[in-house]
Amino acid sequence: MVKQKVWRKMSAMVLSATILLTQGWYTNRVEAAEPEPTVTMTSQEILTSGAVLKKYVWQGKRSSKDIKVNGNVVEVDLTNPNVKLDVMTGTENQFTRKQTVLGMATETKAVAGINGDFYNTQAEGVPIGPQVSNSQLMATPPYLPGFYSFALDKDNKPIVDLFTFEGSIKTKNGSSYPLGGINKTYYWFEPGGEHSHIDAMFMYTNAWGQVDRSNDGVTTPTEVLVQNNIITQIAEGTILNMVAPKDGYILRAAGKAAEFVKANMKIGDPLIADYKVLSQDSSKTYDAKSFRMMIGGHTIMVDEGMPAEFSREVASLCCYRSRTAIGYSKDLKTAYLITVDNAGDSKGLSMTELQQFMIKVGVWKGINLDGGGSTQMVTRPLGEVTPVLTNKTETGLQRKVVNGVGVYSLAPQGEVKGLYIQAPNVLFINEQAPLSFKAYDIYYNPVQTDKVKADWSTADNAGVFVDNVFKPQKAGTAKITAKSGQGSQTADIEVAGRNDISSLKIQADNMALSQGETYKLPVIATTKSGKTREVPAELISWEVAGIQGEVKNGVLTVKNLEGSTAAQLIARYDGYSTMVTIPVGVDKVWYDLDKNAVMTLSDVKPQEVTASVNVKQEATGNKYLELGYDFTKGTGNKWAFATLDTRVWIEGSPQYLKLKVNGDESLNWLRAEILDNKNEIHRVDLARSINWKGWKLLTADLSEYKIEYPIRMKSIYVVNEEIGQDERAAKGKIEIDDISFTYKGSVPQPTKNNVQLTVNKTAVSLNGKSMTMEQAPVITKGNTLVPIRFVSEALGGTVRWDEQERKVTVIRGDKMIDLWVDNVDLIVNGQRVTAEVPPVIMNNLTMVPLRILSENLGWKVTWDGNTQQITLQ
């Protein structure tokens, strides 16, 4: 990208050139003193038949510091009939409608692409240089020295050269006037600095996508509409306020050119437009009318495999930046599309370093394209339908640019050559897992997998397939194979059972329960190999304690909370358990017209809408707020507000907003506005469609919004959206009562008892009362083992025994431990832990390591080494 000031008068040019020569000489001297950089290819990937992506690392030194730069090169085989290079333009193939390279490539179905020509950022957004796209001339070269272009002739032979333009418009009376160019924005001639559009005539085609044509205020336009070579409109001293039609063009004339129009043109007359693109070197003859593609660039970079003398001043392109370039090989058979990055660990290249990089990757002759924040490369991975961004942009964003060079496949659909199995990173026993694949054909183009069937199989009886649905039947590694056409791939998929899991967690953070509500409870497993995934809900068995409720398909329904303070939810997969304790929420009524309320007024948008708020009373004496609205006037989206007093702060940090609403079946949208501590407004959805009559309790989870507490209520409001307005009621009223907030309650704490035990003694003290145990604490391998049932129950916990698994489960407060006899692995709140010694059976009692219990159940342990007495609290 270039700014307007890049085109400057001669005095500035001379000064810049002098500085450039000095800087260039110094830079070359410094670079020469450092060891020669190396360029190493790190990977390559076929994109389509005739195009390959190669990734490189440039390594060198700057001021004795090691520098690394990442480069990407798309090589295109110009002799391959299945691939072509062409120019991508803006949006829908029009100038002035800039788009990212990814957007252009996706729109035009390119398999790869880079950004293209420089452009004046202060103007409409058109390339400085020429452009031929799909063999059609879309823009002509400027009358400026040193701007090189890249082209392909009718035989697909690459050309890098300096081009110019000749053209004229001939009228019915035989008069003619020079044509300044096609689809060009204003610029300044060099070295004189004259404005390009003074006394000039320019042609604008349908490729120019806006009605304004280079009106920077320097000249006054007269415009002529030509359709099918006949003048159909003339607008003297003004614009035609239209985009040129596809069957014609618009001439923009100013000064002497406008006088020529007035003297020689009239509606109904025929016009002849004669123009051509040709080499600046008269000794070279190109048939530019037959060019397949052409894109403008900036300075030449490489000529005959050597660094070329810059044809333009590059002071404005200084420093170490992201760069884009294009060139071709010595044998004229390969085109190179190049980007290098200035992002993260990749430190960009200078212009002279870019020359060396281009040479090392194979360029015989090449030019630079727009770089810096404009540098973008996109490529389509094998088997994928759409391209992705390949490089790292300098700003972290993808800049919208005027054009780019795209790589296109011309190959027919072929037989499947290769495929990639797509599956979750881990599966679970008895899961119904639909597997899919991405495929590419013999031309390396994606295959529509919905039209191609694969044969699936698995080895070692790891599971069964029904079509593409795999059901693992045992833990371990399932070797899955998919075959289609010539393609076959085998993938090893981890199937996690209990022994493969390192943690299991119920996602219920910051949750508070309310009666009658439902809550989704995802269960996330992490394997010992580090893979994380949600366990399918149908594979989880649940236990609910502390409340009346049930969990089905991963959703908790709260039926009754009377007398409850918290719910204990235990989830189990393949014998692996985890638990979460969720407190019961505390509801506090904030707005109740019978007891406490705040000032409420009405407001509307737009002003043609009418609304009212009134206090109403039921026969029972209960008071409520009525919000009436009339959306019959006004246009677009419409709003009716019940505004609340924002000077009233809401205490604490509520999790839920609740209110009762008597609906009107209007199908309008009901929302609330909350003002947080940063004065930011959060619009909270209460009901996407008011599709009911009668009172209904609505709940909104405030934790879904990034709210800075404390908060204030700003309004409750009804929205009538513009789209589908005829399907919703334009007049109506809703009634609002009992606005309340739900706060997270507290989890009850276990009983605080005091237990004193002594190693090798059955005597025990519970809160000062002497008792006798059947089995005394013992020390094994430096670990104290205690009778788990007695100790846990004494400290307010519960103990369960599973005879079949020889497993003991201890639950105390919001903590749960699973331990297996003679197994050092245990599970603490869903987390696998390894003890130094396992639980054992002594005297028909389970003895477990005290350290594990104390560290994970929140016990306070005091040890007296002299008496070998243990105190637990």
Side-chain angles (χ1 to χ4, degrees):
M1 181 183 295
V2 297
K3 296 185 177 180
Q4 181 173 328
K5 66 181 180 181
V6 167
W7 298 314
R8 48 176 68 90
K9 294 186 178 180
M10 183 59 180
S11 58
M13 289 290 292
V14 172
L15 177 60
S16 296
T18 303
I19 295 173
L20 170 64
L21 290 173
T22 304
Q23 290 177 335
W25 175 83
Y26 177 75
T27 301
N28 287 332
R29 288 288 299 275
V30 172
E31 291 176 357
E34 302 284 7
E36 183 177 352
T38 61
V39 175
T40 305
M41 186 174 68
T42 58
S43 67
Q44 61 178 323
E45 177 184 351
I46 296 174
L47 301 175
T48 188
S49 175
V52 60
L53 168 66
K54 295 182 178 180
K55 295 190 175 184
Y56 292 89
V57 173
W58 179 99
Q59 289 179 297
K61 288 185 177 292
R62 294 180 191 149
S63 302
S64 299
K65 292 183 179 179
D66 292 328
I67 300 296
K68 183 182 75 171
V69 181
N70 296 325
N72 301 291
V73 179
V74 174
E75 292 185 9
V76 180
D77 182 357
L78 299 176
T79 67
N80 190 320
N82 293 319
V83 68
K84 77 166 185 176
L85 279 182
D86 211 339
V87 180
M88 310 179 292
T89 308
T91 301
E92 296 180 342
N93 201 38
Q94 286 188 314
F95 299 131
T96 74
R97 301 175 64 191
K98 298 192 295 290
Q99 190 173 191
T100 65
V101 175
L102 181 59
M104 288 188 285
T106 302
E107 179 186 317
T108 63
K109 295 181 171 54
V111 302
I114 56 173
N115 62 294
D117 203 351
F118 290 74
Y119 59 98
N120 182 346
T121 59
Q122 307 304 311
E124 300 90 345
V126 296
I128 294 176
Q131 180 176 320
V132 173
S133 182
N134 196 27
S135 301
Q136 299 296 313
L137 179 64
M138 294 181 64
T140 52
Y143 294 124
L144 292 169
F147 279 98
Y148 273 79
S149 298
F150 176 94
L152 295 177
D153 68 11
K154 64 180 181 179
D155 298 318
N156 223 34
K157 297 297 185 183
I159 299 166
V160 167
D161 211 338
L162 295 166
F163 290 87
T164 187
F165 170 76
E166 284 183 2
S168 65
I169 297 293
K170 188 175 182 179
T171 63
K172 181 181 179 181
N173 62 13
S175 300
S176 65
Y177 199 90
L179 191 59
I182 299 174
N183 292 327
K184 306 308 294 180
T185 191
Y186 54 85
Y187 60 97
W188 290 266
F189 296 132
E190 297 172 358
E194 298 88 356
H195 192 281
S196 60
H197 283 48
I198 292 177
D199 296 328
M201 184 181 295
F202 282 80
M203 177 189 291
Y204 295 88
T205 70
N206 184 257
W208 187 280
Q210 67 182 46
V211 299
D212 185 88
R213 283 164 281 274
S214 300
N215 293 312
D216 62 344
V218 175
T219 60
T220 300
T222 284
E223 294 197 334
V224 180
L225 175 61
V226 182
Q227 290 180 271
N228 297 315
N229 300 317
I230 302 296
I231 299 172
T232 58
Q233 290 187 54
I234 299 177
E236 294 187 16
T238 187
I239 65 172
L240 285 169
N241 199 32
M242 63 181 290
V243 174
K246 292 184 178 180
D247 62 351
Y249 55 86
I250 291 173
L251 294 174
R252 183 196 187 280
K256 293 179 181 179
E259 294 174 5
F260 176 86
V261 169
K262 186 174 181 181
N264 297 280
M265 297 185 189
K266 59 182 178 181
I267 295 175
D269 283 354
L271 280 184
I272 297 175
D274 184 24
Y275 51 83
K276 59 182 176 180
V277 172
L278 63 162
S279 173
Q280 290 187 21
D281 184 348
S282 59
S283 67
K284 298 178 181 178
T285 56
Y286 296 117
D287 183 12
K289 287 186 177 180
S290 66
F291 280 179
R292 294 188 174 193
M293 62 83 69
M294 185 180 196
I295 193 161
H298 192 257
T299 178
I300 189 169
M301 299 292 292
V302 176
D303 193 5
E304 296 187 348
M306 298 290 291
E309 182 179 352
F310 296 136
S311 57
R312 296 284 302 177
E313 62 89 8
V314 293
S316 60
L317 306 179
C318 72
C319 314
Y320 304 107
R321 301 292 303 274
S322 295
R323 306 286 182 188
T324 308
I326 189 169
Y328 62 83
S329 62
K330 183 177 181 180
D331 60 8
L332 307 181
K333 293 181 178 180
T334 305
Y336 301 90
L337 282 59
I338 299 169
T339 62
V340 294
D341 292 348
N342 176 33
D345 294 334
S346 181
K347 301 304 181 182
L349 295 180
S350 68
M351 291 290 283
T352 53
E353 290 171 339
L354 177 62
Q355 290 176 305
Q356 294 295 334
F357 181 88
M358 293 172 68
I359 293 167
K360 287 179 182 292
V361 300
V363 174
W364 177 253
K365 192 171 186 178
I367 62 175
N368 77 310
L369 299 175
D370 192 9
S374 294
T375 291
Q376 298 160 68
M377 175 182 283
V378 300
T379 55
R380 186 187 68 187
L382 268 181
E384 297 293 335
V385 177
T386 56
V388 296
L389 184 67
T390 304
N391 73 311
K392 291 185 177 180
T393 62
E394 195 168 86
T395 61
L397 303 173
Q398 297 180 56
R399 177 182 287 171
K400 292 183 178 181
V401 294
V402 298
N403 62 8
V405 180
V407 181
Y408 297 88
S409 173
L410 303 177
Q413 184 73 54
E415 187 180 10
V416 173
K417 179 179 179 65
L419 49 81
Y420 302 105
I421 293 175
Q422 294 185 304
N425 61 359
V426 61
L427 298 179
F428 299 97
I429 300 172
N430 293 323
E431 175 182 3
Q432 299 283 341
L435 305 184
S436 60
F437 65 95
K438 294 285 187 179
Y440 58 91
D441 65 14
I442 57 175
Y443 300 107
Y444 300 95
N445 289 322
V447 173
Q448 291 181 295
T449 53
D450 58 338
K451 297 181 180 180
V452 177
K453 185 178 180 181
D455 295 323
W456 296 87
S457 61
T458 182
D460 302 326
N461 298 316
V464 293
F465 270 103
V466 178
D467 294 325
N468 67 314
V469 179
F470 179 55
K471 184 178 180 180
Q473 295 182 323
K474 61 182 181 180
T477 299
K479 190 176 290 293
I480 304 297
T481 300
K483 294 182 179 180
S484 180
Q486 299 178 16
S488 176
Q489 191 201 19
T490 298
D492 291 337
I493 301 177
E494 179 180 352
V495 180
R498 179 176 72 188
N499 294 331
D500 306 298
I501 294 174
S502 63
S503 71
L504 197 67
K505 181 181 180 181
I506 304 169
Q507 286 190 340
D509 296 339
N510 301 317
M511 190 176 288
L513 301 180
S514 293
Q515 190 161 309
E517 294 294 328
T518 59
Y519 306 88
K520 191 174 185 304
L521 297 172
V523 179
I524 309 300
T526 300
T527 67
K528 291 178 179 178
S529 63
K531 298 173 182 176
T532 298
R533 183 174 163 236
E534 181 178 348
V535 181
E538 63 271 16
L539 301 183
I540 299 292
S541 61
W542 290 89
E543 180 181 340
V544 180
I547 64 167
Q548 292 184 31
E550 64 176 355
V551 181
K552 287 186 177 180
N553 293 320
V555 176
L556 168 66
T557 300
V558 179
K559 296 181 177 179
N560 193 334
L561 292 176
E562 185 175 352
S564 300
T565 57
Q568 283 183 329
L569 305 175
I570 299 174
R572 297 185 179 90
Y573 163 69
D574 194 32
Y576 195 110
S577 304
T578 187
M579 187 183 78
V580 67
T581 302
I582 306 176
V584 171
V586 177
D587 289 338
K588 293 184 180 181
V589 177
W590 176 75
Y591 186 100
D592 179 1
L593 287 167
D594 296 306
K595 299 177 182 178
N596 53 296
V598 298
M599 183 181 296
T600 310
L601 302 171
S602 65
D603 195 7
V604 298
K605 284 194 306 185
Q607 62 182 6
E608 294 85 358
V609 173
T610 58
S612 62
V613 292
N614 297 286
V615 177
K616 299 289 185 174
Q617 186 168 341
E618 295 178 316
T620 59
N622 177 60
K623 294 178 182 179
Y624 58 88
L625 185 73
E626 177 190 84
L627 170 59
Y629 55 85
D630 185 346
F631 295 133
T632 55
K633 296 182 180 179
T635 59
N637 294 331
K638 304 172 186 181
W639 297 265
F641 298 85
T643 61
L644 304 165
D645 190 349
T646 56
R647 295 173 297 180
V648 180
W649 292 86
I650 295 162
E651 67 173 290
S653 303
Q655 181 176 354
Y656 296 98
L657 163 64
K658 297 181 180 179
L659 69 162
K660 297 176 183 176
V661 175
N662 192 349
D664 59 0
E665 291 185 330
S666 65
L667 305 183
N668 289 311
W669 188 4
L670 184 63
R671 307 187 83 187
E673 288 180 311
I674 289 179
L675 197 64
D676 73 4
N677 197 37
K678 292 183 177 179
N679 277 329
E680 292 184 4
I681 296 176
H682 300 270
R683 293 174 177 85
V684 176
D685 287 344
L686 300 174
R688 197 60 183 85
S689 176
I690 306 175
N691 57 5
W692 72 92
K693 276 191 175 179
W695 288 99
K696 182 179 181 180
L697 178 66
L698 303 181
T699 302
D701 187 352
L702 300 183
S703 66
E704 297 177 359
Y705 303 84
K706 295 181 180 180
I707 294 175
E708 184 78 18
Y709 289 99
I711 59 174
R712 293 161 284 170
M713 282 289 293
K714 189 174 187 292
S715 73
I716 306 291
Y717 64 104
V718 176
V719 185
N720 189 313
E721 295 176 278
E722 180 177 11
I723 298 175
Q725 232 164 41
D726 58 338
E727 300 175 359
R728 294 185 291 274
K731 290 184 179 180
K733 62 182 180 182
I734 62 168
E735 295 162 352
I736 302 168
D737 198 11
D738 295 343
I739 301 175
S740 60
F741 292 92
T742 301
Y743 298 80
K744 187 176 181 180
S746 58
V747 176
Q749 297 301 311
T751 304
K752 293 184 178 180
N753 290 335
N754 183 292
V755 179
Q756 291 183 338
L757 309 96
T758 305
V759 173
N760 297 326
K761 292 184 179 180
T762 57
V764 62
S765 171
L766 174 60
N767 294 331
K769 182 179 178 180
S770 297
M771 303 177 69
T772 301
M773 297 184 299
E774 294 182 52
Q775 172 63 48
V778 297
I779 294 178
T780 301
K781 296 180 180 180
N783 287 265
T784 302
L785 303 183
V786 297
I788 183 62
R789 182 175 295 276
F790 177 86
V791 171
S792 296
E793 291 177 351
L795 292 174
T798 60
V799 179
R800 302 177 184 179
W801 170 254
D802 185 327
E803 178 63 36
Q804 183 175 354
E805 288 201 38
R806 291 170 60 81
K807 179 182 74 173
V808 60
T809 300
V810 180
I811 299 175
R812 183 175 186 261
D814 59 352
K815 297 177 173 60
M816 181 179 76
I817 299 181
D818 283 339
L819 309 98
W820 287 264
V821 173
D822 298 327
N823 191 334
V824 292
D825 275 2
L826 58 147
I827 300 171
V828 180
N829 276 12
Q831 188 76 34
R832 186 181 297 273
V833 176
T834 302
E836 292 182 9
V837 295
V840 296
I841 301 293
M842 292 183 180
N843 197 22
N844 290 324
L845 296 176
T846 305
M847 304 288 286
V848 300
L850 175 61
R851 179 180 298 173
I852 290 294
L853 297 179
S854 63
E855 289 178 350
N856 295 289
L857 290 178
W859 296 349
K860 181 182 178 181
V861 180
T862 304
W863 166 256
D864 188 330
N866 294 325
T867 62
Q868 290 197 315
Q869 188 177 72
I870 306 163
T871 302
L872 305 174
Q873 292 176 311

